[in-house]
């Protein structure tokens, strides 16, 4: 068994220090990643509000999640979070709670005596000061996910649960990579990950080479046709079509901020747009639907790795 957390606890987090005198009793989450990790650690009874959802909660947590207030589907207000009287705000994205946070800065919470913790997958090897979704300074690895799980487990004094969760995810990660390696895939297999688009006439948000989708492609031996270091750059369909990816992975989500959030809208575009429909992936039906949340740097990234390996096993790449 792991040792209990020794309070008061101080740990470094995304350039700041988190200080806690005791295990948090009331936690508000700003981001689905922190929410599901806390559920997985057996800490649902401490969660008093959630926000920022892309996909339905994992089935195993559906019942417990139904009893917890969803403050907002997207960005909550600072007041809505504070009104839940949290002693910890656990955050997925620094652009929600950070120097120019859309919800608040960390200092705004700290001034009220509320600790904040940002999942390190969003700041380790990443510069969020570049605007938008940030730019990766080095390739994402799942070690930042495991680091976040371990640190949240330490904060909540749930180290045994943290170690068990990490062990399970590591095993699933290794199995998915081994499965893909056994498929004898083409050496220059290529792909693009399409998250969404503001509308059908504008360039889509696609995955850069160093984020979570880049990790999946690298581990499964796939070349990303997008070479940007931005997390989610916009790239025109003409450029993507010229690269002609063998596989297109599209995000499936409940969020409806943009028209192309709807997976049906993505499929309609791919099959009917005069440029997109000529791509090999569309012509040969090599389109993979993946939870949008798996395309972010979260524990669901491992599930996305499994989704992609499973899909590849059903595809033919014969000329």
């Amino acid at each position: 068994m792991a040792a209990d957390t020794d309070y008061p606890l101080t740990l470094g987090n995304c350039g700041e220090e988190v200080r806690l005198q005791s295990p948090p009793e009331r936690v508000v989450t700003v981001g689905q990643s922190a929410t599901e990790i806390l559920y997985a650690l057996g800490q649902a009874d401490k969660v008093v509000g959630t926000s920022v959802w892309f996909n339905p909660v994992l089935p195993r947590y559906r019942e417990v999640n139904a009893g917890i207030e969803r403050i907002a589907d997207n960005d909550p207000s600072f007041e809505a979070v504070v009104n839940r009287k949290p002693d910890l705000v656990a955050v997925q994205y620094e652009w929600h709670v950070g120097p120019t946070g859309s919800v608040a800065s960390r200092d705004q919470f700290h001034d009220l005596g509320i600790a904040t913790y940002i999942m390190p997958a969003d700041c380790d090897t990443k510069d969020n000061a570049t605007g938008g979704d940030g730019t990766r300074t080095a390739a994402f690895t799942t070690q930042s996910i495991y680091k976040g799980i371990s640190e949240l487990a330490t904060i909540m004094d749930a180290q045994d649960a943290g170690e068990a969760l990490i062990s399970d995810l590591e095993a699933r990660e290794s199995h998915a990579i081994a499965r893909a390696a056994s498929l004898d895939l083409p050496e220059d297999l290529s792909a693009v990950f399409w998250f969404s688009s503001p509308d059908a006439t504008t360039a889509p948000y696609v995955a850069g080479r160093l984020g979570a989708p880049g990790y999946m492609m690298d581990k499964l031996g796939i070349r990303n046709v997008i070479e940007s270091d931005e997390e989610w750059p916009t790239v025109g369909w003409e450029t993507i079509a010229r690269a002609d990816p063998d596989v297109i992975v599209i995000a499936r989500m409940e969020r409806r901020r943009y028209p192309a959030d709807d997976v049906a809208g993505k499929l309609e575009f791919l099959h009917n747009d005069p440029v997109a429909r000529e791509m090999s992936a569309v012509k040969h039906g090599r389109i993979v639907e993946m939870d949008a949340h798996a395309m972010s740097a979260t524990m669901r990234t491992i599930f996305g790795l499994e989704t992609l390996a499973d899909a590849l096993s059903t595809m033919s790449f014969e000329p």
Side-chain angles (χ1 to χ4, degrees):
M1 292 181 62
D4 294 340
T5 300
D6 185 17
Y7 298 95
L9 171 69
T10 300
L11 56 85
N13 172 242
C14 295
E16 296 197 17
E17 285 192 340
V18 178
R19 298 184 182 89
L20 292 157
Q21 296 298 316
S22 59
E25 294 295 327
R26 297 180 62 84
V27 183
V28 169
T29 57
V30 181
Q32 188 170 351
S33 175
T35 308
E36 291 186 331
I37 289 174
L38 286 167
Y39 291 171
L41 294 174
Q43 301 297 306
D45 62 324
K46 306 292 177 59
V47 180
V48 296
T50 70
S51 58
V52 190
W53 290 83
F54 287 99
N55 293 103
V57 71
L58 289 168
R60 73 194 77 161
Y61 307 125
R62 193 175 295 145
E63 184 175 350
V64 69
N65 183 69
I68 298 172
E69 180 184 2
R70 182 177 292 197
I71 298 172
D73 291 333
N74 295 305
D75 299 13
S77 68
F78 175 61
E79 292 76 13
V81 176
V82 171
N83 285 344
R84 298 305 300 147
K85 295 180 170 54
D87 41 28
L88 174 69
V89 177
V91 183
Q92 179 173 343
Y93 297 115
E94 192 173 24
W95 65 270
H96 280 134
V97 178
T100 58
S102 62
V103 176
S105 68
R106 300 184 80 171
D107 285 344
Q108 285 176 272
F109 284 113
H110 298 171
D111 288 345
L112 297 176
I114 301 170
T116 59
Y117 178 79
I118 299 172
M119 302 306 299
D122 194 57
C123 51
D124 288 4
T125 73
K126 191 177 176 202
D127 180 5
N128 289 312
T130 59
D133 294 301
T135 301
R136 288 282 169 183
T137 57
F140 158 84
T141 74
T142 50
Q143 289 307 308
S144 64
I145 300 299
Y146 302 143
K147 174 183 175 182
I149 292 170
S150 178
E151 290 183 343
L152 262 185
T154 299
I155 287 169
M156 304 303 296
D157 197 17
Q159 289 91 326
D160 286 342
E163 289 181 2
L165 177 59
I166 292 169
S167 179
D168 176 65
L169 291 172
E170 286 178 333
R172 293 178 67 165
E173 180 182 13
S174 297
H175 183 266
I177 294 169
R179 182 175 188 196
S182 72
L183 296 177
D184 193 27
L185 298 170
E187 286 189 9
D188 194 34
L189 188 64
S190 64
V192 65
F193 277 60
W194 178 17
F195 193 85
S196 191
S197 307
D199 59 63
T201 63
T202 58
Y205 294 106
V206 290
R209 66 189 184 96
L210 299 178
Y215 151 83
M216 293 184 221
M217 287 183 268
D218 179 66
K219 291 299 182 183
L220 300 186
I222 303 170
R223 176 176 57 85
N224 188 357
V225 300
I226 307 300
E227 297 183 351
S228 172
D229 291 349
E230 290 181 47
E231 193 86 337
W232 292 102
T234 54
V235 179
W237 281 111
E238 294 81 3
T239 300
I240 296 170
R242 282 196 298 272
D244 198 23
D246 298 304
V247 178
I248 299 173
V249 184
I250 60 176
R252 178 180 57 240
M253 69 185 87
E254 283 192 331
R255 188 192 78 170
R256 291 295 181 268
R257 182 173 290 176
Y258 302 126
D261 284 351
D262 186 355
V263 73
K266 291 185 179 76
L267 291 169
E268 181 180 3
F269 173 85
L270 289 172
H271 288 294
N272 292 289
D273 179 80
V275 173
R277 70 188 181 193
E278 295 302 318
M279 291 188 288
S280 299
V282 179
K283 285 185 172 182
H284 296 287
R286 295 194 291 264
I287 302 172
V288 180
E289 295 181 23
M290 181 181 292
D291 282 354
H293 195 44
M295 293 187 183
S296 294
T298 70
M299 73 174 182
R300 283 209 196 190
T301 298
I302 287 88
F303 307 162
L305 191 71
E306 294 173 324
T307 295
L308 189 51
D310 288 345
L312 292 171
S313 72
T314 69
M315 293 177 181
S316 171
F317 296 96
E318 295 298 323

